[in-house]
Amino acid sequence: MVGGKVRPGAAMAAPGRMQVAMKALAPQFVILLLLNGLPGVTGIEISVKNGSERENQTKAQLERLLKQYNLAKWIFTTKVIIDQAEIPHSHPVLTLHTRHLGNDDALLSTFIHEQIHWFEEQHAAERDKAIKELEAIYPEAPGGPPEGARDKNSTYLHLMVCYLEYLGMIELVGPEKARHVIEESSHNYYKWIYATVLKDGPKIAAVLEKHKLKL
């Protein structure tokens, strides 16, 4: 800009420099820049397993939420399957059920929960050290559902995942709605885990911070 006026050709030059800069970056960093810079642009590929009406409606609901919220911070895998017959899980492909159809906060919370599992996998060494610390803090943690996860190790892992899920929901929908979602979850599954997240948040946070596992 010269004297308050745009210099001729400047508008064309900037995109050229941007293209050069983008090419110099590894592809995953280019994707991260796009995700962080443009709310609603997620690159998420959502498919349905059975093609039922509920699956298609849940797909549309998730697509709307992805446009409504900037979820770049919580996206670690870009493939999602909606399967009405499955329990939500993260691997090998992030899979969601249809039971949260019409409940945006619950679907959002489940989506970021499963994404956080991918984050934990990317930091396996730090995750395992944190689990050891949580074992010492909570030696009597439940080793199975409905209070815990499928085994004790998974229960300790879920203390971290569910706490990060709670923090994410606070950031996305505010503390009141976030607490409501977590309390509702604590009545249905991972009961001890979610109750402990609400009761001992600072204690769990200290472990995550020590091992650089906070988002």
Side-chain angles (χ1 to χ4, degrees):
M1 183 174 290
V2 181
K5 296 181 179 180
V6 177
R7 175 174 54 81
M12 295 299 294
R17 289 196 296 271
M18 179 62 75
Q19 288 170 0
V20 171
M22 296 286 271
K23 287 179 180 179
L25 295 172
Q28 60 267 37
F29 291 110
V30 173
I31 292 171
L32 185 60
L33 282 172
L34 289 172
L35 291 173
N36 281 311
L38 297 172
V41 179
T42 64
I44 300 292
E45 178 187 325
I46 306 171
S47 60
V48 295
K49 182 65 180 292
N50 305 291
S52 70
E53 182 178 356
R54 287 186 65 84
E55 287 180 352
N56 284 316
Q57 288 175 341
T58 301
K59 177 177 182 287
Q61 181 183 358
L62 181 58
E63 288 170 340
R64 175 173 52 77
L65 292 172
L66 288 165
K67 292 176 182 177
Q68 182 177 348
Y69 296 96
N70 184 355
L71 299 177
K73 180 178 179 179
W74 295 275
I75 292 176
F76 300 94
T77 180
T78 57
K79 289 187 181 296
V80 178
I81 295 175
I82 309 295
D83 186 347
Q84 62 190 23
E86 281 284 352
I87 294 172
H89 55 271
S90 58
H91 288 73
V93 179
L94 194 157
T95 301
L96 303 174
H97 57 36
T98 60
R99 276 170 274 173
H100 297 319
L101 181 60
N103 187 336
D104 285 356
D105 290 345
L107 181 59
L108 189 62
S109 190
T110 302
F111 176 72
I112 66 172
H113 175 109
E114 301 305 341
Q115 288 282 355
I116 290 165
H117 275 294
W118 284 79
F119 167 74
E120 295 289 347
E121 283 293 319
Q122 292 172 13
H123 300 83
E126 295 85 353
R127 174 202 65 198
D128 292 345
K129 290 176 184 176
I131 286 174
K132 290 294 183 186
E133 287 203 31
L134 291 170
E135 286 176 351
I137 296 170
Y138 301 105
E140 303 303 321
E147 297 295 326
R150 67 177 179 272
D151 55 39
K152 266 206 166 186
N153 189 76
S154 185
T155 293
Y156 295 122
L157 170 62
H158 276 85
L159 274 176
M160 296 185 288
V161 172
C162 293
Y163 179 71
L164 291 174
E165 173 191 354
Y166 182 34
L167 290 188
M169 289 302 289
I170 290 173
E171 190 169 333
L172 290 167
V173 302
E176 185 176 340
K177 284 187 175 182
R179 186 174 186 90
H180 176 74
V181 170
I182 298 303
E183 285 178 342
E184 284 294 307
S185 296
S186 74
H187 298 320
N188 298 303
Y189 56 93
Y190 299 157
K191 294 182 177 182
W192 177 87
I193 296 170
Y194 280 120
T196 304
V197 162
L198 292 173
K199 177 173 67 76
D200 288 349
K203 193 181 294 187
I204 300 168
V207 175
L208 294 176
E209 287 169 359
K210 177 179 179 180
H211 296 287
K212 298 180 171 60
L213 288 170
K214 289 193 75 175
L215 288 165

